[in-house]
Amino acid sequence: MAVTNQPGPYAPSEFQTGILNCASDCSTCCYGLWCYPCLGCSIASDMDECCLCGLQMAIRSVYRTKYNINGSLCSDFMAYLCCPVCATCQLKRDIELRKEKGIF
């Protein structure tokens, strides 16, 4: 049986938006489409990581582990393999929603 979430201060959950829910935040979607490297740097900055880390599946895995979001390294890899812009935009949307709720 594969471990899909880690113990931590947050109850197991899902990402707050789907990977294809770009219409829920058009500005982030446009940001990702027209300046993908900048979006990655923004995510890395939010997570106090090196700018070069923002566009890698590893940062998604770190984020999932920190907030106890269900998933696996394989699901993170597949998300970035199939649609890296969508996966990156989903991560940024989730970060912004957590900031609004004061839990980031």
Side-chain angles (χ1 to χ4, degrees), residues 11 16 22-23 28-29 32 36 40 42 45 60-61 72 75 78 80 97:
Q16 297 175 71
C22 288
T28 298
C29 184
Y36 183 62
S42 174
S45 176
R60 183 180 176 92
S61 298
S72 65
S75 67
M78 291 306 294
Y80 273 90
L97 289 169

Side-chain angles (χ1 to χ4, degrees), residues 46-65:
D46 288 338
M47 295 183 64
D48 294 326
E49 296 288 340
C50 168
C51 190
L52 299 175
C53 298
L55 297 177
Q56 298 177 3
M57 76 156 220
I59 201 151
R60 183 180 176 92
S61 298
V62 168
Y63 183 82
R64 259 190 335 87
T65 302

Side-chain angles (χ1 to χ4, degrees), residues 26-90:
C26 289
S27 63
T28 298
C29 184
C30 290
Y31 192 22
L33 284 173
W34 287 302
C35 195
Y36 183 62
C38 298
L39 179 60
C41 284
S42 174
I43 290 170
S45 176
D46 288 338
M47 295 183 64
D48 294 326
E49 296 288 340
C50 168
C51 190
L52 299 175
C53 298
L55 297 177
Q56 298 177 3
M57 76 156 220
I59 201 151
R60 183 180 176 92
S61 298
V62 168
Y63 183 82
R64 259 190 335 87
T65 302
K66 181 176 182 178
Y67 291 102
N68 207 14
I69 297 171
N70 294 327
S72 65
L73 288 173
C74 184
S75 67
D76 295 334
F77 174 78
M78 291 306 294
Y80 273 90
L81 178 68
C82 294
C83 188
V85 174
C86 293
T88 304
C89 288
Q90 179 190 33

